Amino acid sequence: MLVIPELTLAGVMLVVFILGLVWDPVRRRDVGAVTAAGLAGLFVLSVMLDGRGVLFDGAFVADGLARYFKQIFILATFLGVVGGLALPQPVFHRRAPEYHLLVLASLLGMMLLASARDLVLLFVAFELMSIPLYVLAGFVKREELAVEAALKFFLVGSLSTAILAYGLSFLYGAAGTTALPEIVQALRSRDPLLILGFVLVLAGVGFKIAAFPFHMWVPDTYEAASTPFVAWLSVAPKAAGFAVIFRVFLEGAGDRAAVWVPLVATLGAITIVAGNLMALPQTNVKRLLAYSGIAHIGYMLLGVAAVSPFGVAVVLFYLVAYVFSNMGAFLVVEAVAQAEGSTGLGAFRGLAQRSPLLALAMLLFLLSLGGIPFVVGFWAKLYVFWAAAEAGLYGLVLLGAVLTVVALFYYLMVAKQMYIEAPASPTPIVVPPALALVLVASALAVVLLGLYPRPLVDTALRAAAPLF
């Protein structure tokens, strides 16, 4: 009962695998639609099921937090898969079963990660999530830049895996157990090996969530890989990274917050500064969104550093806001790139005159990422600053507020291109139906959650409760 979502996902993977074997190359493009339908059913199932408990001697837990994270992963994957249906490359369509199997395998790793309460299961799930991502980054293998980006992603990812494995092994060596609840008891021994273990785990996860200075793979990978995949990569694995942080640091070491909170707070501060400053000179919108994404990770780390139910809840709220805002922005970039063959700022010139609805959608996503009232990103940043202020982190709140103003400059650079500059071509941009569907859904979510965020806040508060 508790693993029904994971078993259902495995069933969808089996269906995709069989269809890939029996369908001819022309029909294989329809595998994407089958995958999207399976994910929609899986999301409904995850909402209906409310089983709670533990399995496998406590290694796997089904609680409100795991359920919330799994719904984020499924939602983001659904949006990414539907957005990917608009990819025009004929080579991609012939290999659609392989692509979607890898996406689903990574999703399975994320879902297991959210429920992992044992270091061994956590590491295995982390790798199940990560390895398909390296392949997907270079899936368009005939493009030299994509292969280079995938190789860089793989090398950095392998390094992060090694660091994470070192950290987990130190935790086991010091605590004598791989069960997170039992590590809480071992922490009372104040073993320095435990502290080193937590530092290395934070560094290993820092690569996955692209916190500074572990971000170096992000801009090149985002620029070279297919945009619908990048839209998904920019949110789902990062959410999974926060699942690890919550399980290890709040559930496994919550009693020793005084030890690790300075680390997380410092990491959050330098990530906000570096991400925003590096985004300023960018002239490629995919790279701009890559660096702005780094800054958003810093804001979310402020919520973790608050070490409170409200702090965790605001991070969960922020992740949902980020899914719709960031994926929407990337998918607008995909629509423009298909028409203009470029993701540079110049490709957005006069977009409001050529395709006003597409420009409006991009403006909403940018305003949300910038934290402007009253779209969902405004509440996300306000709540994070609120949680940090309640924890006494006033310096970080001031820093975050100042850098939020800086961020508006580069978001409004894109808006200026769309609404003030003359278009290079008067021809309207034709948006594929699948892409249009995702953009409309994301834009509506950004506006509706901005106008009425209370239900999502209450859900996030309930999901955060098991950690305290």
Side-chain angles (χ1 to χ4, degrees):
M1 184 71 180
L2 299 180
V3 292
I4 283 180
E6 285 78 8
L7 292 176
T8 305
L9 176 58
V12 176
M13 292 174 65
L14 182 62
V15 170
V16 170
F17 176 72
I18 293 173
L19 293 180
L21 290 177
V22 299
W23 276 0
D24 59 59
V26 176
R27 288 202 67 192
R28 284 180 186 170
R29 66 170 60 190
D30 297 333
V31 165
V34 173
T35 305
L39 289 169
L42 183 60
F43 183 81
V44 172
L45 183 67
S46 69
V47 172
M48 294 173 62
L49 290 177
D50 192 22
R52 297 167 194 269
V54 295
L55 288 175
F56 314 123
D57 293 329
F60 180 97
V61 61
D63 57 10
L65 184 69
R67 186 172 174 230
Y68 189 98
F69 268 115
K70 289 174 187 179
Q71 289 170 359
I72 292 179
F73 302 149
I74 297 168
L75 175 65
T77 308
F78 173 77
L79 294 176
V81 167
V82 176
L85 297 178
L87 282 172
Q89 300 96 330
V91 173
F92 172 81
H93 286 146
R94 283 200 300 273
R95 298 162 60 208
E98 294 95 317
Y99 177 87
H100 291 100
L101 262 181
L102 289 167
V103 169
L104 294 176
S106 185
L107 173 61
L108 181 60
M110 295 175 199
M111 292 174 66
L112 290 174
L113 202 54
S115 288
R117 224 178 182 185
D118 184 274
L119 299 183
V120 175
L121 178 60
L122 188 146
F123 183 75
V124 171
F126 195 84
E127 286 306 285
L128 178 59
M129 172 190 73
S130 301
I131 292 173
L133 297 179
Y134 308 144
V135 183
L136 289 166
F139 199 75
V140 190
K141 59 185 180 182
R142 295 183 188 280
E143 293 186 11
E144 188 177 340
L145 284 178
V147 175
E148 180 184 337
L151 181 60
K152 184 179 290 186
F153 187 21
F154 169 71
L155 292 175
V156 174
S158 301
L159 177 62
S160 71
T161 298
I163 294 174
L164 178 67
Y166 264 116
L168 296 179
S169 64
F170 285 149
L171 291 184
Y172 171 69
T177 176
T178 58
L180 284 172
E182 295 176 22
I183 290 177
V184 177
Q185 305 299 320
L187 282 173
R188 291 170 185 159
S189 68
R190 302 179 68 86
D191 190 332
L193 203 57
L194 276 171
I195 309 304
L196 179 59
F198 282 121
V199 171
L200 291 176
V201 168
L202 183 61
V205 179
F207 279 101
K208 194 57 63 187
I209 62 175
F212 184 86
F214 314 111
H215 67 286
M216 63 287 291
W217 59 274
V218 172
D220 292 342
T221 303
Y222 281 21
E223 183 179 7
S226 68
T227 307
F229 164 68
V230 169
W232 177 67
L233 177 69
S234 69
V235 294
K238 291 181 179 179
F242 277 94
V244 175
I245 290 174
F246 287 160
R247 290 293 182 199
V248 173
F249 288 92
L250 288 173
E251 190 164 11
D255 292 347
R256 295 296 303 279
V259 174
W260 58 263
V261 162
L263 294 173
V264 173
T266 304
L267 189 64
I270 61 174
T271 301
I272 292 172
V273 174
N276 281 311
L277 295 184
M278 288 189 290
L280 279 175
Q282 300 304 319
T283 56
N284 182 296
V285 180
K286 286 177 81 174
R287 293 182 74 88
L288 185 152
L289 290 174
Y291 283 114
S292 85
I294 293 168
H296 282 283
I297 292 302
Y299 290 115
M300 290 184 234
L301 286 173
L302 298 190
V304 178
V307 196
S308 66
F310 184 59
V312 173
V314 298
V315 175
L316 296 175
F317 181 92
Y318 204 124
L319 286 169
V320 174
Y322 192 59
V323 164
F324 289 116
S325 306
N326 209 50
M327 290 192 75
F330 268 115
L331 293 175
V332 172
V333 173
E334 171 66 13
V336 173
Q338 286 189 14
E340 296 297 310
S342 169
T343 56
L345 272 174
F348 288 78
R349 281 188 302 165
L351 184 63
Q353 298 178 44
R354 299 176 62 186
S355 301
L357 291 179
L358 193 60
L360 177 62
M362 187 62 165
L363 183 63
L364 286 171
F365 299 138
L366 292 174
L367 292 178
S368 182
L369 290 171
I372 297 296
F374 285 93
V375 282
V376 66
F378 165 74
W379 297 111
K381 284 191 175 172
L382 179 66
Y383 288 147
V384 160
F385 292 153
W386 188 351
E390 282 188 344
L393 304 172
Y394 300 112
L396 293 180
V397 173
L398 179 62
L399 178 70
V402 171
L403 270 297
T404 295
V405 177
V406 173
L408 287 176
F409 177 79
Y410 57 78
Y411 287 131
L412 292 179
M413 280 199 311
V414 182
K416 173 175 174 286
Q417 293 290 326
M418 294 191 300
Y419 283 91
I420 296 179
E421 300 294 336
S425 164
T427 309
I429 291 177
V430 178
V431 181
L435 207 51
L437 176 67
V438 179
L439 289 175
V440 170
S442 299
L444 285 175
V446 164
V447 173
L448 294 177
L449 288 174
L451 293 174
Y452 189 48
R454 192 71 224 177
L456 183 58
V457 173
D458 291 340
T459 305
L461 283 169
R462 288 194 295 273
L467 291 177
F468 297 90

